[in-house]
Amino acid sequence: MTVVVIITGGLSIDADVARRLPADRIVIAADSGLDHALALGLRVHLVVGDLDSVSRQGLDAAEAAGVAIERYPAEKDQTDLELALERAQDWSPERTIVVSGGGGRLDHLLAGMAVLVEPSRSAQAGITVPIAVAVTEAWIGTARVVAVRGPAQVSLAGRRGEYVSLLPVGGPAESVVTTGLRYPLHGETLSPTSARGVSNELLDLEATVALAHGALLVIQPDAFALPPPGASP
């Protein structure tokens, strides 16, 4: 499986979260995400963005290591994250993981979540229909966000009682069906102007979320708050 990891700016990224990343990966740094990637000891393959917030030391280190650097104008139509997501497609990844420590501008955060479900990189895990798909997710602070565009089904793993929220993006999410959650859905439509999908809970260690049409952000806000289930203390 080809995995592309995109490291973004914002607050520093916890080393424990970084240790959960797949070992075999392509790393793209979006602007000051380069500083975070270098601090975590990650090998960076590409740097993209207008480079208005990355440190000079970080850029010098990347240039010395022969990392490809793509500088874009500050006045552009896309955020640095969106540029990184587009460049990730060069590797035809089966999985793309955006990693952020959180913080930063609220508008950037909201825009970043919206572009995760852009149709050309729709995230569909545990798919039940016979088409080729890719998984796009974001690790933000302690949260894990998986973007799902229907028709698709995503499988979740976590702890009993862990929160799971389902947030529609870009319109209604239709025919939503869940298993393993405290408040099940049996083919309902979730509206982007309603908070009905917020604060559901895992009944056991696994659950599924499926939808026929539309797009959902499936959010586990405390996914990385504790060691993985079954991990040694």
Side-chain angles (χ1 to χ4, degrees):
M1 174 183 288
T2 302
V3 179
V4 172
V5 174
I6 297 173
I7 307 295
T8 73
L11 300 177
S12 59
I13 297 166
D14 190 280
D16 181 61
V17 173
R19 281 192 289 268
R20 302 180 193 225
L21 291 169
D24 189 10
R25 66 211 169 206
I26 303 295
V27 176
I28 300 175
D31 206 318
S32 62
L34 174 62
D35 292 319
H36 297 320
L38 295 176
L40 293 167
L42 301 178
R43 178 192 173 198
V44 177
H45 298 77
L46 174 66
V47 180
V48 299
D50 54 25
L51 309 185
D52 64 343
S53 56
V54 66
S55 71
R56 183 68 255 175
Q57 295 91 333
L59 279 178
D60 289 344
E63 290 171 351
V67 176
I69 299 174
E70 296 184 2
R71 185 188 296 268
Y72 291 80
E75 295 182 358
K76 59 189 188 303
D77 293 333
Q78 298 162 297
T79 65
D80 294 334
L81 171 57
E82 193 168 9
L83 292 169
L85 285 165
E86 287 193 355
R87 294 293 281 107
Q89 301 311 303
D90 293 347
W91 284 273
S92 301
E94 289 88 0
R95 185 182 183 196
T96 302
I97 306 172
V98 177
V99 184
S100 167
R105 287 169 45 179
L106 177 60
D107 52 346
H108 278 184
L109 175 62
L110 295 176
M113 293 300 93
V115 299
L116 291 180
V117 293
E118 198 278 328
S120 66
R121 49 179 176 265
S122 59
Q124 305 171 33
I127 194 74
T128 58
V129 294
I131 58 175
V133 295
V135 179
T136 303
E137 59 189 281
W139 299 4
I140 305 173
T142 62
R144 177 176 184 251
V145 183
V146 178
V148 188
R149 178 172 290 277
Q153 175 174 299
V154 62
S155 298
L156 308 178
R159 300 170 181 78
R160 295 179 183 89
E162 183 179 330
Y163 285 127
V164 176
S165 291
L166 311 178
L167 300 184
V169 180
E174 300 177 4
S175 299
V176 180
V177 177
T178 66
T179 67
L181 296 181
R182 181 177 179 184
Y183 308 108
L185 297 175
H186 303 287
E188 284 91 340
T189 293
L190 295 181
S191 167
T193 59
S194 168
R196 182 182 179 188
V198 173
S199 296
N200 214 320
E201 297 177 18
L202 285 171
L203 286 176
D204 210 327
L205 302 182
E206 295 182 353
T208 65
V209 177
L211 75 160
H213 303 286
L216 276 176
L217 296 178
V218 180
I219 303 172
Q220 294 172 265
D222 301 315
F224 303 119
L226 296 170
S232 301

